[in-house]
Amino acid sequence: QVQLVEFGGGLVQSGGSLRLSCAASGTFSSYAMGWFRQAPGKEREFVAVISRSGGSTDYADSVKGRFTISRDNALNTVYLQMSSLKPEDTAVYHCAAERTLRFDPTRLRVAAKYDSWGQGTQVTVSS
């Protein structure tokens, strides 16, 4: 397993931008990396995922065109660039790692498939 720590959350106005970072220990390049979020009283939901090499990505429809996931395997870090933020994006954002040989977006949208999780970082978007 890898250890994951998220950074970069905060309070932003509607329409603003934030970049989240997730620093990992261990053999980072062996893992597909995902971002999930959980709002109060709601289930954890998929946001985005990136393959081990960074060559493939997948996004939830609710964030497509506004969020961009990327990774730097030399720095053991995955990023989530969030733009045009909306109040409904308010949630705790978690990064997660899944050790996989094949990038299967359908499978990687499921939180239970992930091996390791970070503690989360709060993102609050004010209207």
Side-chain angles (χ1 to χ4, degrees):
Q1 291 188 342
V2 292
Q3 304 297 316
L4 304 173
V5 180
E6 299 96 337
F7 302 92
L11 174 65
V12 63
Q13 289 189 334
S14 180
S17 299
L18 277 177
R19 188 176 81 156
L20 305 183
S21 302
C22 172
S25 64
T27 54
F28 179 70
S29 61
S30 297
Y31 293 82
M33 298 297 299
W35 283 99
F36 289 75
R37 65 187 182 187
Q38 188 165 18
K42 295 188 177 181
E43 292 187 356
R44 189 167 295 190
E45 67 170 346
F46 168 77
V47 175
V49 63
I50 190 166
S51 63
R52 295 185 302 164
S53 68
S56 298
T57 58
D58 186 39
Y59 296 91
D61 287 345
S62 58
V63 307
K64 199 171 293 183
R66 300 188 298 122
F67 291 10
T68 302
I69 189 170
S70 61
R71 66 189 295 162
D72 187 332
N73 285 349
L75 297 178
N76 281 13
T77 303
V78 61
Y79 305 97
L80 186 68
Q81 178 67 49
M82 305 184 294
S83 303
S84 301
L85 283 161
K86 306 174 182 179
E88 51 263 45
D89 294 318
T90 295
V92 176
Y93 283 71
H94 299 266
C95 66
E98 207 274 348
R99 193 178 184 97
T100 179
L101 294 177
R102 187 170 67 94
F103 186 71
D104 181 347
T106 300
R107 180 174 184 272
L108 291 170
R109 285 179 172 231
V110 179
K113 300 300 183 183
Y114 287 78
D115 305 312
S116 303
W117 290 84
Q119 83 289 347
T121 186
Q122 176 71 46
V123 172
T124 303
V125 184
S126 63
S127 57

